Amino acid sequence: MAVVTFGTCALDLEARQLSRDGQSVHLSPKAFELLKTLVEARPKAFSKGELHEKIWPETFVTDDSLARLVAEIRAAIGDHARTPKYLRTVHAFGYAFSNADDSGRQTLPAAGPTCWLLHEGRAIALAEGDNIVGREPGGRLVLDSIRVSRRHARITVRGLSATLEDLGSRNGTLVGGSRIGAPVALSDGDEIMIGGFAIKFRMSGDDAATESDGG
């Protein structure tokens, strides 16, 4: 799957972009390569030596360089060195990535339903429950245009289903080119148009396709 989500983060492996809470987060090229390496092989643990070879092939660097990349990634995804939830330190060995819940069970993103929006090269993960799209700061997807209402539309995620509802906006919300007048169920690949912005809805799970987006 091209996009991997964990917590409020979405990692687009093909576009090489990381977003958190719907906002793009910058990572240096080496930090992104480290995160990509760990995520793709999750929950495998890599030794420091293996990571040195992958990130700095044929170049000698100290463990401090690797530690700085780990710190950069943790700051970007909201992880903590003392109590890491995603990027964990394997004592006296190296590092690994896992999406663990509070009980300690590993739950990989690809194992359950995951919904996100693709907009202008960004992948915005949708949370379980209500996700507001509009001009209002703090929404799941903020669209800065006078053609977009403050609370323009709402996408409600419930397990294996997602519903889109226009919230009485002036310019309306379109799905597949048609303006919606009532809540509609979304399917993987649906094209949403809000205030002139083209947004693609993606879903992975038991009943949805998980191929990477070709557009």
Side-chain angles (χ1 to χ4, degrees):
M1 187 173 63
V3 179
V4 178
T5 63
F6 48 95
T8 61
C9 296
L11 181 67
D12 190 323
L13 298 173
E14 292 186 354
R16 295 183 65 84
Q17 291 181 324
L18 171 68
S19 63
R20 179 183 172 194
D21 294 320
Q23 302 298 314
S24 181
V25 179
H26 173 74
L27 278 179
S28 66
K30 293 294 187 185
F32 187 92
E33 194 62 33
L34 174 58
L35 179 58
K36 179 176 181 289
T37 297
L38 294 173
V39 167
E40 286 185 323
R42 66 193 188 281
K44 175 184 174 180
F46 286 89
S47 70
K48 293 178 182 179
E50 289 175 315
L51 293 174
H52 285 176
E53 284 297 320
K54 288 179 175 293
I55 309 302
W56 297 279
E58 300 181 0
T59 302
F60 174 77
V61 296
T62 66
D63 286 347
D64 287 344
S65 297
L66 182 59
R68 281 195 292 270
L69 294 187
V70 170
E72 180 183 346
I73 293 170
R74 282 174 173 158
I77 67 177
D79 218 352
H80 303 282
R82 290 181 177 274
T83 56
K85 188 175 182 181
Y86 305 116
L87 204 171
R88 63 187 180 89
T89 300
V90 181
H91 183 64
F93 182 74
Y95 300 94
F97 189 94
S98 62
N99 190 1
D101 60 21
D102 292 337
S103 68
R105 292 182 294 107
Q106 288 186 338
T107 56
L108 302 183
T114 301
C115 301
W116 67 95
L117 302 175
L118 296 178
H119 172 61
E120 295 184 343
R122 291 192 297 141
I124 298 96
L126 297 176
E128 182 78 7
D130 292 343
N131 299 266
I132 299 299
V133 179
R135 279 199 345 266
E136 183 176 70
R140 181 61 60 178
L141 174 58
V142 179
L143 301 172
D144 187 13
S145 170
I146 59 173
R147 298 179 61 188
V148 178
S149 300
R150 289 183 62 82
R151 292 171 61 86
H152 196 107
R154 174 170 55 222
I155 299 176
T156 303
V157 178
R158 292 281 185 267
L160 288 169
S161 67
T163 302
L164 173 66
E165 178 184 4
D166 184 83
L167 298 178
S169 68
R170 175 175 296 183
N171 293 312
T173 301
L174 287 73
V175 176
S178 300
R179 184 164 178 165
I180 63 174
V184 298
L186 292 172
S187 299
D188 181 56
D190 276 348
E191 297 282 355
I192 303 169
M193 187 70 71
I194 293 178
F197 293 97
I199 305 161
K200 177 170 283 191
F201 172 79
R202 297 305 310 265
M203 172 186 287
S204 69
D206 295 339
D207 298 325
T210 58
E211 307 93 43
S212 61
D213 176 52

